[in-house]
Amino acid sequence: MGMSNTGPGGTKNISVLMIEDNPGDARLIKEALTDLRDPDFELEWAKCLLEGIESLKRKTPGMILLDLSLPDSHGFDTIARVRKEFPIVPLVVLTGLNDENVGLKAVQLGAQDYIIKGTVEGVALSRIIRYAIERKRIEEALRESEERLKRKNHEIREFTDVVTHDLKKPLASIKTIHDLVAKEAFGKLNDQGSEAMGICKDAINYMQELLQDLLTCASLEAETVSLEREKLDMKDIAEQVFRRFSRQMEEKGIRPFNNAETYACADRKAVMKLMMNLIGNSINYIGEGGKREITVGSMQKNGTAVFFVKDTGIGIPEESQGEIFQKFKRGKNALAISGTGLGLAIVKGTVLAHGGEIWIESKVDDGTTVYFTLPDGAKAQNGENAMPGSDTLP
């Protein structure tokens, strides 16, 4: 990024292109840099933007000093024009205005720093240039790292899509054969055969659930989930989920309580899946004996809507709590209970995709409470903190 030459004694020279139309200002900068050593500066002077761009096309300097008041370009548009054609060269703006807002705006548009003309001497100017070069180097390294991460996420998502697609085909064939055998299309089943078909059906359902959860996890990790945000009545969402699980709760003697009185601004399908996972977990890990209750509720904390799902189940050992939201991680006291180990990872990914936070409180044999935040639906309705419509995470 940028060019530098090695001077006497191995010292690296820094080539600087100064685009400045005022001869007096140009002379002051040249004088400030001329007597400096370690590093030495090689200064080239262009008197207008067009001349500067032509010089940049011939040779990439280590730094650009750019005046914002040129004969052929004026104001912040000058930065935009240089950045568009030469995005990776470090740039420091020269301005005659002693206005910090001008400098901040210049940095926001892509400059690494700004100098008020006539106020900076040689050593300070050298330091500004060297620091600006280092800042730009770090910016470019971060950008390249982010691009690599995006490519890797895309590759992971593509790989997961291919694998799950390839697995779904034979699984569908197995399910078809199972259904035919279970319906005794090939002859009557004895008790052992019926039992085997039940085990086979459970395995098929588990694999279908696992494949779908893997796809969801991959989408969340690759940040390619499309969210359709709308105002959601969280009490209504919880009520729908409780109805879906009514048979399982009745069989286990679980009493549901729905106290979620707050609205959220979020994707309906994603939040429904989130609540299905949390309430489903509470049912699976409710344990034997004692009080059996699941409560969905909400509260306000520091002006933020906080939702929670609380149960009176087996709880999570303290040593497992730090990794409980990771894929395939489960409480050490829950390994014998059926589950994919992906539910809480999906829940966390969904909350983070909405810009929320998630945490747990749990004690063995005393139950677990999962807390999470979502954008406040009441504020969104009033235009505060609103994030309506559709958006796809980058």
Side-chain angles (χ1 to χ4, degrees):
M1 180 185 64
M3 294 179 64
S4 61
N5 301 314
T6 302
T11 301
K12 283 191 174 181
N13 300 335
I14 297 176
S15 60
V16 178
L17 172 63
M18 175 177 57
I19 307 176
E20 166 64 70
D21 68 316
N22 188 302
D25 290 332
R27 178 176 54 79
L28 288 174
I29 291 173
K30 182 177 181 180
E31 290 176 353
L33 295 177
T34 296
D35 296 331
L36 292 173
R37 293 293 181 269
D38 194 23
D40 286 335
F41 291 92
E42 298 176 355
L43 184 65
E44 181 179 350
W45 178 26
K47 301 177 183 63
C48 65
L49 184 60
L50 180 60
E51 186 180 335
I53 289 176
E54 290 300 319
S55 174
L56 283 163
K57 289 178 179 178
R58 291 192 302 271
K59 172 185 173 183
T60 303
M63 163 63 63
I64 301 171
L65 297 177
L66 179 66
D67 182 25
L68 294 185
S69 299
L70 298 168
D72 53 348
S73 184
H74 186 79
F76 295 118
D77 183 57
T78 309
I79 300 174
R81 290 173 64 183
V82 172
R83 271 285 163 257
K84 182 178 179 181
E85 294 197 51
F86 307 97
I88 68 170
V89 184
L91 186 153
V92 172
V93 163
L94 304 172
T95 176
L97 301 174
N98 189 3
D99 185 346
E100 188 171 336
N101 291 326
V102 173
L104 290 175
K105 181 69 173 178
V107 171
Q108 290 169 358
L109 290 173
Q112 276 59 64
D113 210 334
Y114 69 99
I115 297 171
I116 299 172
K117 296 180 185 180
T119 65
V120 180
E121 297 182 352
V123 174
L125 179 57
S126 171
R127 185 168 57 249
I128 289 171
I129 291 174
R130 287 183 287 116
Y131 286 6
I133 291 172
E134 182 61 17
R135 277 195 292 271
K136 186 60 177 175
R137 185 191 68 77
I138 293 172
E139 286 177 15
E140 287 302 307
L142 289 172
R143 183 188 62 79
E144 290 172 5
S145 177
E146 184 179 352
E147 287 298 320
R148 285 195 300 271
L149 182 60
K150 285 182 179 179
R151 289 195 298 270
K152 195 67 177 176
N153 282 339
H154 183 68
E155 290 170 5
I156 291 171
R157 175 59 199 270
E158 284 191 332
F159 173 77
T160 307
D161 284 348
V162 170
V163 170
T164 51
H165 181 267
D166 288 348
L167 287 174
K168 280 181 177 181
K169 284 185 176 180
L171 188 60
S173 299
I174 293 170
K175 185 178 185 302
T176 299
I177 294 171
H178 163 271
D179 292 345
L180 289 172
V181 174
K183 292 176 181 178
E184 300 183 337
F186 307 116
K188 189 171 179 61
L189 295 171
N190 58 23
D191 291 343
Q192 288 180 319
S194 297
E195 183 180 354
M197 286 298 98
I199 295 171
C200 181
K201 182 178 181 180
D202 289 342
I204 291 170
N205 291 339
Y206 173 81
M207 281 301 299
Q208 288 177 327
E209 181 183 356
L210 179 61
L211 291 174
Q212 186 56 52
D213 284 352
L214 281 170
L215 276 175
T216 303
C217 276
S219 297
L220 290 167
E221 289 179 349
E223 298 184 339
T224 57
V225 179
S226 181
L227 301 176
E228 293 285 344
R229 301 177 190 265
E230 60 179 290
K231 183 180 178 183
L232 301 179
D233 183 341
M234 292 298 286
K235 186 164 189 171
D236 179 63
I237 296 286
E239 193 62 38
Q240 291 182 52
V241 176
F242 276 139
R243 281 200 298 269
R244 291 192 183 188
F245 285 119
S246 59
R247 182 177 61 81
Q248 293 94 317
M249 289 191 295
E250 185 176 345
E251 289 175 352
K252 292 191 174 187
I254 299 172
R255 297 177 62 198
F257 295 91
N258 187 359
N259 303 321
E261 303 293 344
T262 306
Y263 289 85
C265 181
D267 181 275
R268 180 176 296 276
K269 289 182 180 179
V271 172
M272 182 68 75
K273 176 68 173 176
L274 178 153
M275 294 299 289
M276 289 282 290
N277 274 316
L278 290 179
I279 293 175
N281 274 359
S282 292
I283 294 171
N284 287 342
Y285 304 119
I286 200 66
E288 302 292 335
K291 183 172 64 173
R292 298 184 178 189
E293 296 177 354
I294 299 174
T295 302
V296 177
S298 60
M299 58 186 178
Q300 288 287 330
K301 184 177 181 181
N302 299 326
T304 301
V306 179
F307 304 93
F308 63 86
V309 176
K310 179 180 180 179
D311 63 55
T312 56
I314 63 175
I316 302 169
E318 187 174 352
E319 61 269 25
S320 300
Q321 292 181 20
E323 60 183 21
I324 200 66
F325 289 110
Q326 297 177 25
K327 295 194 301 293
F328 304 113
K329 296 293 185 179
R330 305 171 70 194
K332 293 182 178 179
N333 58 342
L335 299 180
I337 301 174
S338 176
T340 66
L342 292 171
L344 287 179
I346 292 172
V347 167
K348 180 179 180 179
T350 301
V351 171
L352 295 182
H354 284 84
E357 298 178 337
I358 187 167
W359 66 97
I360 64 167
E361 291 179 1
S362 187
K363 185 177 179 181
V364 173
D365 297 328
D366 196 35
T368 298
T369 304
V370 179
Y371 297 92
F372 60 94
T373 65
L374 292 173
D376 193 322
K379 288 184 178 180
Q381 187 180 36
N382 295 328
E384 306 172 40
N385 192 32
M387 289 180 284
S390 173
D391 62 311
T392 300
L393 298 178

